[in-house]
Amino acid sequence: EVQVLESGGGLVQPGGSLRLSCAASGFTFTSYAMTWVRRPPGKGLEWVSAVSGNGRTTYYADSVKGRFTVSRDNSHNTLFLQMNNLRAEDTAVYYCAKVLTWRGAIDYWGQGTLVTVSS
Amino acid sequence: QSVLTQPPSVSAAPGQKVTISCSGSSSNIGSNYVSWYQHLPGTAPKLLIYDNNKRPSGIPDRFSDSKSGTSATLGITGLQTGDEADYYCGTWDSSLGAWVFGGGTRLTVL
């Protein structure tokens, strides 16, 4: 059974940093791209970032480019999102998800972890 | 402002059919497969439809989609109260080099 489980969310002040982790199981981790998607309170889904299976190719939404860094540890089946210089508008539930086909559908999602940026 | 445009809400009675539209452009829907997701806040989003009307295991054939040019449509037949959720279309945008989603449509089963 495919499972993805996020952790690392919490309350952080504007300008602060946070690192999200996502533990994956039930599939060959290195064979699939992984992605982060967020849902701000009262708003819809917003794609954040993605990384290819071998970790060499990364993509970012313009809203987080230069502040967020996605990476993966294929030896431990874990995905990361390093978030720096956080802003109030980054407040959201962050979902880790498996990408079915590169630039295609996102087929398995986690339950999400809440990030709140507030002073 | 989302790259893909969906109606904010739709509603229908139990047992009826509803459609949800998703409008984009040549760089996204016009040149890439569309996928559809169901989401109840507090839960994990669920993939419903992908790659030209394919359904993951466990998704009933009450859910279907179609595409014409730069627009796509999700159809749900035999509506159930358990279908009440937010529905999103999504695809890759070749110009932006990014995944894009619609703003979401809240389905109410009256």
Side-chain angles (χ1 to χ4, degrees):
Chain A
E1 179 190 5
V2 173
Q3 290 188 330
V4 290
L5 181 64
E6 306 91 341
S7 61
L11 175 63
V12 61
Q13 292 188 338
S17 298
L18 211 56
R19 189 193 200 201
L20 304 184
S21 299
C22 171
S25 62
F27 63 99
T28 305
F29 189 65
T30 55
S31 295
Y32 293 93
M34 297 291 292
T35 189
W36 291 97
V37 177
R38 67 186 181 186
R39 184 168 184 178
K43 296 186 178 181
L45 296 176
E46 178 187 358
W47 175 74
V48 174
S49 181
V51 59
S52 61
N54 59 18
R56 294 175 189 163
T57 304
T58 57
Y59 289 98
Y60 298 94
D62 286 344
S63 58
V64 306
K65 205 171 291 183
R67 300 187 300 122
F68 289 14
T69 302
V70 63
S71 62
R72 60 193 296 162
D73 179 352
N74 284 347
S75 63
H76 292 93
N77 289 2
T78 304
L79 177 73
F80 302 101
L81 185 67
Q82 177 66 44
M83 304 185 294
N84 298 331
N85 191 19
L86 283 160
R87 307 166 179 167
E89 54 265 36
D90 295 318
T91 295
V93 176
Y94 283 73
Y95 298 96
C96 163
K98 170 183 169 290
V99 179
L100 178 60
T101 56
W102 184 236
R103 302 178 182 176
I106 301 167
D107 59 345
Y108 287 96
W109 301 62
Q111 296 283 341
T113 186
L114 176 62
V115 172
T116 303
V117 184
S118 174
S119 55
Chain B
Q1 196 80 359
S2 302
V3 173
L4 307 180
T5 302
Q6 298 180 233
S9 63
V10 295
S11 62
Q16 297 300 303
K17 175 183 178 178
V18 71
T19 60
I20 297 173
S21 62
C22 176
S23 177
S25 69
S26 58
S27 65
N28 42 66
I29 293 178
S31 52
N32 295 287
Y33 285 122
V34 176
S35 48
W36 289 89
Y37 305 89
Q38 179 191 64
H39 189 213
L40 275 167
T43 69
K46 180 190 296 185
L47 175 65
L48 294 175
I49 299 278
Y50 68 101
D51 292 5
N52 194 22
N53 213 23
K54 295 179 182 175
R55 289 183 306 278
S57 174
I59 303 299
D61 59 6
R62 299 188 298 108
F63 295 90
S64 64
D65 87 330
S66 62
K67 189 174 101 168
S68 177
T70 59
S71 293
T73 302
L74 173 70
I76 310 173
T77 60
L79 277 172
Q80 303 172 0
T81 55
D83 294 332
E84 286 200 333
D86 298 322
Y87 290 82
Y88 296 86
C89 56
T91 187
W92 176 259
D93 191 297
S94 304
S95 293
L96 296 175
W99 272 267
V100 291
F101 290 101
T105 299
R106 173 67 55 90
L107 169 63
T108 302
V109 181
L110 301 168

